Structures are given as C-alpha cells and as structure tokens.
C-alpha cells in the first residue's frame, strides 16, 4: 500500500494540484481522453486511486510524489 509519509505536511500536496474535498481529505481529479482518475489521500495518509477505466493512463503525478520523497510503501 502507498502512504504519504507521516512527517509530511499535507499542505505540500497542494503544490501538486491536490485540494481538500468535503471530507477534508486531499484529492485530485485527472481527466485525459475520457478516462477519469481520482487520487485521494485519506485521513490515515493512505493513497487511494480510482478510475473509470481498466487502464489508468495518467500516473505521472504519483511518480512526482515519490520522487519528491512524499510517498512510502508500507505493508506487502
């Protein structure tokens, strides 16, 4: 599972286009070629990805977050 590191100020996500949603979780919605992908950072800092397609086309943002040192892999 992917998780935002505990020592990261979640406001850092705003630099990548994330916004607080009505549940006060950070999310970003990406649309490309009629494929919609939503990435949500839950209250426990876990990363959830949802898409309306079997192929999620736009995950460059996740790579950017990993490269910036904001994400870690936890568990299996």
């Amino acid at each position: 599972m992917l998780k935002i590191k505990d020592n990261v100020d979640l406001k850092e996500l705003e630099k990548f286009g994330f916004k607080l949603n009505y549940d006060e979780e950070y999310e970003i919605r990406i649309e490309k070629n009629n494929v919609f992908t939503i990435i949500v950072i839950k209250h426990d800092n876990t990363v959830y990805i949802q898409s309306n397609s079997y192929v999620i086309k736009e995950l460059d943002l996740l790579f950017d977050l990993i490269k910036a040192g904001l994400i870690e892999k936890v568990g299996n």
Side-chain angles (χ1 to χ4, degrees), residues 5-69:
K5 293 179 179 178
D6 290 332
N7 64 344
V8 171
D9 180 358
L10 293 181
K11 288 197 177 276
E12 284 287 309
L13 297 171
E14 294 174 2
K15 294 178 184 176
F16 295 90
F18 283 84
K19 297 183 189 234
L20 277 176
N21 64 17
Y22 59 90
D23 287 329
E24 297 203 10
E25 299 167 328
Y26 278 91
E27 80 173 26
I28 189 167
R29 296 171 182 260
I30 302 165
E31 186 273 325
K32 187 170 186 175
N33 300 326
N34 290 325
V35 174
F36 296 89
T37 303
I38 301 170
I39 302 173
V40 178
I41 311 302
K42 297 287 190 176
H43 293 290
D44 63 356
N45 287 3
T46 55
V47 179
Y48 288 87
I49 303 168
Q50 181 179 358
S51 180
N52 69 338
S53 173
Y54 289 109
V55 178
I56 300 174
K57 294 185 177 184
E58 196 62 40
L59 291 182
D60 289 345
L61 176 62
L62 280 181
F63 180 74
D64 292 342
L65 293 171
I66 292 167
K67 202 166 129 182

